[in-house]
Amino acid sequence: MGATAQRAALVLGIGLAFAGCGATDSGGATDAARRVYEGYSRDDGAAACATLSDDAREQLEQDERKPCAEAVLELKLSGTRATAEEAYVTEAKVDLDAGDSVFLEETGDGWRVSAAGCPPSPGRESPYDCGVES
C-alpha cells in the first residue's frame, strides 16, 4: 500500500472511530438550548443564565459590565424550535428555526451553553457571530 493510500486509510479509520464515539444525548443539549431561549423570551434573565457555562456567563458579564441576568436580556436571541441537533462526545450544536445556532458542552452538571445567539456570518473570519460565547 502506497503512502497516499495509507494516509487515506488512516483518515477513514479515524473518521469512523469518531463517528462511533458520538454522544447520543443531543436531546439533553437541545433541552439546555431551549431553556436559555425560553428564559430570554419570558424576560427571565436568571433562568436564561442558569444554563450558560461558567465561562460563557463570566464572559458575558465582563463584556457587558452587568450581572448575567441583566446582560442576557440585552442580547438578540431568536428562535424557538430546534431544527437540527448534532452531539459529539462532550460538545453539541443545536440549530434553531429563526437561524441562530447554539453551542454546548457537556459538564458534570449536564449540558451547558457555551455560545448562543449565533447566526451564520458568511464572508467573515468566523462562521458565526455569537451574542454570548466563552
Side-chain angles (χ1 to χ4, degrees):
M1 186 183 293
T4 302
Q6 286 176 332
R7 277 194 294 269
L10 178 62
V11 169
L12 178 61
I14 290 171
L16 290 173
F18 280 117
C21 292
T24 58
D25 184 26
S26 65
T30 300
D31 288 344
R34 179 184 45 76
R35 286 192 304 272
V36 170
Y37 280 70
E38 284 178 352
Y40 173 83
S41 68
R42 291 189 322 260
D43 288 330
D44 186 349
C49 288
T51 309
L52 295 180
S53 70
D54 291 340
D55 290 341
R57 189 178 318 105
E58 290 170 14
Q59 189 64 51
L60 179 62
E61 289 175 341
Q62 181 181 348
D63 289 347
E64 301 301 320
R65 295 186 174 102
K66 295 179 182 181
C68 183
E70 292 176 27
V72 74
L73 295 178
E74 294 180 5
L75 298 174
K76 291 185 181 2
L77 303 181
S78 54
T80 56
R81 187 178 53 84
T83 59
E85 306 96 8
E86 299 175 47
Y88 299 98
V89 188
T90 60
E91 296 182 356
K93 177 178 162 257
V94 176
D95 295 327
L96 301 176
D97 58 351
D100 277 4
S101 291
V102 182
F103 296 88
L104 303 101
E105 58 190 47
E106 191 171 32
T107 70
D109 295 325
W111 287 100
R112 296 289 181 239
V113 172
S114 55
C118 304
S121 59
R124 290 194 167 157
E125 185 176 321
S126 172
Y128 294 93
D129 185 19
C130 300
V132 60
E133 62 187 310
S134 55

